[in-house]
Amino acid sequence: MTVRRDFTEPARGRPDLVIGRDELVTAARDQLAGGGSVLLHGPAGIGKSTVLRALAADYGEAARTVLRCSATESESHLPFLALADLFGLVLPEISDRLPAAQRTALESALTGRGESTLQRDGLALRLAVLSALRALAAEGPVLVVADDLQWLDSASAELLGFAARRLGDTPVQMLCAVRTEGQEYDRHLRASPPDTLAVRLNPLSRAQVSTLLDHRGYTDLPRSTVREIHRTSGGNPLFALELGRALGENPTPPRPGEPLPVPTSLRALVLSRLDMLSAEARRTLLVASAGARPTLALLHAAGRENAEAETAQAAALGLLATEPEGPAVRFAHPLISAALYAEAPAQDRRAAHAALSTAASDPIERARHLALATTGTDPDVAARLSEAAALARDRGAPSVAASLGLLAARHTPADGAPGPDERRLLAAEDAITAGEVDLARDIAHEVLTRATVPAERVRAWMVVIEAAGQALGDVDAVFPKVLADAGDDPRLLALVHYQLAWRGLVVEGDFAEARQEAAHAAELAARGEDRRTELMALSFQASIEILMGHPDAPATIKRALKEPQDPYVACHHNGAGAARFRWLLMSDQLPEARTTITALLREVQRRGMVESEVHFQRFLADTELRSGHCGRALDLARESLRLARDSSIGLGASAMLTSLAEASGGDVDRALTLAREAADRAEEDGDQMYLSRALAALGYAQLVAGDAAGTVRSLRRVRELEQGLGITDPARGRWQGDLAEALVRIGEPGEAQDVIDVTREHALRLGRESVLAVLDRAEALVRAARGDLDAALAQLTSVQDRLAKLGYGLEEARAAFELARLRTGRPGPTSYDEAARLFRRCRAMPWLRQVDTAAAAGPAKPPVPVAQDTTLDALEGLASMERQVAALVMEGATNREIAARLFISVKTVEATLTRVYRKLGIRSRVDIVRLAAGRHAK
């Protein structure tokens, strides 16, 4: 039997809608599943009721009886109210099982008849509640769900505590929530069953607040606004949602540098004690709320002579969390500061900023306060703000620079030089650097509504294109407009063709076109004497040539690194340094690659270049993964993904790399989820290049998970994509060895050898030693499958040694693992210890688990050799794909029809047929039909 009260939002309470509470919800669920009780606690608005509803929805169905109560402050003075909520509807079911004295006392308490009191009927009531719970539990498990325990009437709280402490093994569990600010939950824990788990709900992270706002429909908020909501709310979900609602209802967003509007509901919640302050103390707190890092010394410099006494008064009222004699002035919650500022009249705010504009020691802070104290345009104020923005930029704070730049534009006269729109565009470019793409896009579109100067229009269009990230297909309509605005100016055209090069790669998947556009952009930039764009275009051209396996790649890298260099390009994720890193990584120069990318990462972190930081974190993780440092790679990849989600930059790429790291050193199920997420995102963006990378990650995760057939499906598609893109360098994705291994596992050694042969040609041409070693490892499995075990063992021994010398620790361990598997059942060493030692050194836990499983399984069956009977029909020797294509040729299908039926490209059909002809010693489609006819004639 389930008794419901107050829980009217089951949909919102489902576990998948509980944002940012995975670990604590898992802990609570495990506790409940084990028969224990849970006490959720935390401050007001932190999400206790949401988690309580989710857990109750999960475990309510397992209980025969669910007793619920939800107390309120206004009813907390009414005795036995919570008891009536809990037992009112079940009393008829159990009353006849209670002793007469207990039944009379309980009925009197629940109905109000007889004026039962704890003083008069204390023992009978206590025993009645205990007996009632035992009677219900005799019929099946009981779950007591109680929200807002702090408002429980004292009589009910006392009776529940008495029973909870004496339930013993009775199948009664309690799921409760209580509002706390610190550790005062202890008294509620003492009134709970002895096995109760106390779970504190902490503030949400910025990314979790962003997810929460999106889920509740506030999806159009710029990243900078979400960041401010997180700061102001202190990560409190209720406060964050109320701030989001206020912004959604306010048609005029806050101006740069101003706090968020605080809704009346929250002002009343946090400022109820403000009226108890003196007028002077209130002014002092207003100055503190306007300052970025208020201290007592700053308040004195701003003219607040009695700051110590006034802040002490505020601290006594709970508005400040600072010691009166301490230097820092810290509000008890960021929302108090925001609400105090929002409550103040505009002239009082300006007065506070005016005082701080001379009191602050930092020039950036002084300029900001001067701007907020000034109304209307003022060229001197605008100039000071521009200087402050440049200083913030140099300090590696592009987000601050963007905010100051917008303030400078607001105070710049229409006929100023530089003009307001020029300053807005500089702010937009700072916002792009800081990862504030929504803000940058909004600024650019605003400028485009009125700009007439071609240079300003092209510059604004560039911001719009940059803000699109990988989803360049979404801004296809922009390119004709920006080409028209650029006219025949080589500097402006260079910018456009640089972006067209990216479009050719990302949208069209055409490496040749992308390379041509990048080279053209570099030529135009050189003609227009725009060294920065020239270097960016050359760097991009080099990166494309590296992926293509183009012989000009080293020469183009050398041109991109030629002096004079531009500091911004030198450390940009698409700059010459990044191109050189890719070359080092793909050329097996792992130590130098690590040194290079570490220095680049350090520099972009110093400069505040968020987008580059996301990518360089990922690049470093990739380097560590190849080196066999799986634990370190996993930490870096997870940080890259967190930063990507926080900034909405490079999400697909970071998810892809994190999938590889999880499959190697973490959670394989999570690896599969992330790889599919990356593939879905690439599909949505129309990004063919990263789609192939994501599917390669998926194939690897499937291989680690033991799904060889899934690996083959995923990696065959990667092969088709990369053939279409023109990618020939196997060091780019390094998936070919995994495909060959999986093909052997599903009984297709012929196709596996074909993959190895084709890939080996390119690896030999480009000198990719580690790729050649991995291909040899896969070829050893082919040999074993065909019965040549001695050759396979000799090849694997050589491969392990080569990979160790190259520094590929994880690949070395995989070779040792295959050696141990093939040696099982043969004379000589058969131990898995070496493979386990190498995987343990790499912290490759998923692979280590495979070793443990293989060792526990004992001797394996020897590989079944593939029949080599030369009398077999020649067609049976073809790989799976080749047989399918040949069969369709026999049916009379054209190449285009075959491509459509097999979901591959016409070029792939043609290439497959070429291999079929070579293997069968024939020249045309007609010969295939003749062979088939001959087979049927037999």
Side-chain angles (χ1 to χ4, degrees), residues 94-115:
I94 58 171
S95 62
D96 60 347
R97 282 179 274 172
L98 302 181
Q102 295 178 21
R103 180 172 63 249
T104 300
L106 186 56
E107 287 177 347
S108 178
L110 297 186
T111 61
R113 295 191 298 270
E115 297 183 359

Side-chain angles (χ1 to χ4, degrees), residues 522-751:
E523 178 190 342
L524 287 165
R527 200 189 317 160
E529 299 181 350
D530 180 357
R531 183 60 173 162
R532 173 174 289 192
T533 304
E534 181 188 7
L535 289 171
M536 289 294 290
L538 285 171
S539 301
F540 187 42
Q541 180 185 341
S543 294
I544 297 169
E545 289 171 349
I546 291 169
L547 295 175
M548 294 174 71
H550 198 286
D552 288 352
T556 308
I557 293 174
K558 189 174 180 180
R559 288 175 61 200
L561 290 169
K562 187 178 179 181
E563 296 294 338
Q565 281 293 308
D566 181 296
Y568 172 81
V569 177
C571 65
H572 192 275
H573 60 279
N574 290 319
R580 180 172 177 272
F581 159 76
R582 291 187 185 94
W583 176 258
L584 292 168
L585 190 68
M586 294 172 71
S587 301
D588 298 324
Q589 300 178 58
L590 296 181
E592 193 171 351
R594 182 185 295 106
T595 300
T596 300
I597 197 61
T598 301
L600 288 170
L601 177 58
R602 189 181 300 117
E603 180 61 16
V604 298
Q605 287 174 332
R606 187 188 71 80
R607 289 172 170 266
M609 298 169 67
V610 175
E611 184 173 8
S612 293
E613 182 181 355
V614 171
H615 292 296
F616 289 161
Q617 285 271 15
R618 189 178 82 253
F619 292 170
L620 182 55
D622 193 7
T623 308
E624 298 293 358
L625 194 58
R626 295 187 188 210
S627 302
H629 305 153
C630 298
R632 169 73 172 149
L634 185 57
D635 291 342
L636 287 164
R638 285 173 174 171
E639 175 61 19
S640 172
L641 184 59
R642 184 201 64 75
L643 191 58
R645 286 184 169 153
D646 196 21
S647 62
S648 299
I649 293 172
L651 268 171
S654 292
M656 174 274 298
L657 199 281
T658 307
S659 171
L660 291 172
E662 290 282 0
S664 298
D667 184 325
V668 180
D669 289 336
R670 179 159 171 75
L672 292 165
T673 299
L674 286 168
R676 292 187 176 105
E677 175 188 322
D680 290 345
R681 185 172 293 276
E683 295 265 26
E684 290 172 9
D685 291 345
D687 186 342
Q688 297 297 298
M689 185 171 66
Y690 264 110
L691 177 58
S692 71
R693 297 294 307 273
L695 290 171
L698 177 59
Y700 174 67
Q702 289 167 322
L703 183 68
V704 178
D707 180 9
T711 298
V712 170
R713 285 193 301 273
S714 298
L715 297 185
R716 276 176 175 164
R717 190 175 176 202
V718 175
R719 180 174 60 189
E720 308 302 333
L721 284 167
E722 294 203 352
Q723 285 176 350
L725 288 167
I727 297 173
T728 60
D729 192 336
R732 185 243 183 185
R734 304 178 63 87
W735 49 266
Q736 296 86 351
D738 290 339
L739 174 57
E741 179 178 328
L743 284 165
V744 173
R745 305 240 182 264
I746 67 169
E748 294 286 356
E751 185 180 349

Side-chain angles (χ1 to χ4, degrees), residues 175 628 750 863 922:
L175 173 57
I922 60 179

Side-chain angles (χ1 to χ4, degrees), residues 736-737 755-756 759-760 763 770-780:
Q736 296 86 351
V755 170
I756 293 166
T759 307
R760 186 177 277 141
S770 65
V771 174
L772 288 168
V774 168
L775 291 173
D776 284 352
R777 186 182 68 205
E779 189 172 55

Side-chain angles (χ1 to χ4, degrees), residues 57-105:
D58 270 352
Y59 289 93
E61 296 176 2
R64 179 185 181 275
T65 305
V66 179
L67 306 176
R68 304 177 185 266
C69 70
S70 183
T72 63
E73 183 177 13
S74 61
E75 298 171 340
S76 60
H77 65 287
L78 299 174
F80 306 121
L81 182 61
L83 205 65
D85 288 343
L86 291 169
F87 294 104
L89 296 181
V90 297
L91 185 58
E93 179 186 345
I94 58 171
S95 62
D96 60 347
R97 282 179 274 172
L98 302 181
Q102 295 178 21
R103 180 172 63 249
T104 300

Side-chain angles (χ1 to χ4, degrees), residues 256-328:
E258 288 188 348
L260 298 176
V262 179
T264 305
S265 58
L266 292 186
R267 292 190 203 184
L269 180 64
V270 301
L271 297 181
S272 56
R273 288 158 288 184
L274 195 64
D275 290 339
M276 301 172 68
L277 285 174
S278 67
E280 289 302 310
R282 188 163 178 160
R283 290 192 187 96
T284 295
L285 286 195
L286 176 59
V287 174
S289 70
R293 294 173 296 277
T295 62
L296 289 172
L298 178 66
L299 293 176
H300 279 299
R304 307 311 303 165
E305 297 177 357
N306 298 316
E308 285 88 350
E310 289 159 355
T311 54
Q313 182 187 0
L317 292 172
L319 293 166
L320 295 179
T322 181
E323 295 297 329
E325 65 275 8

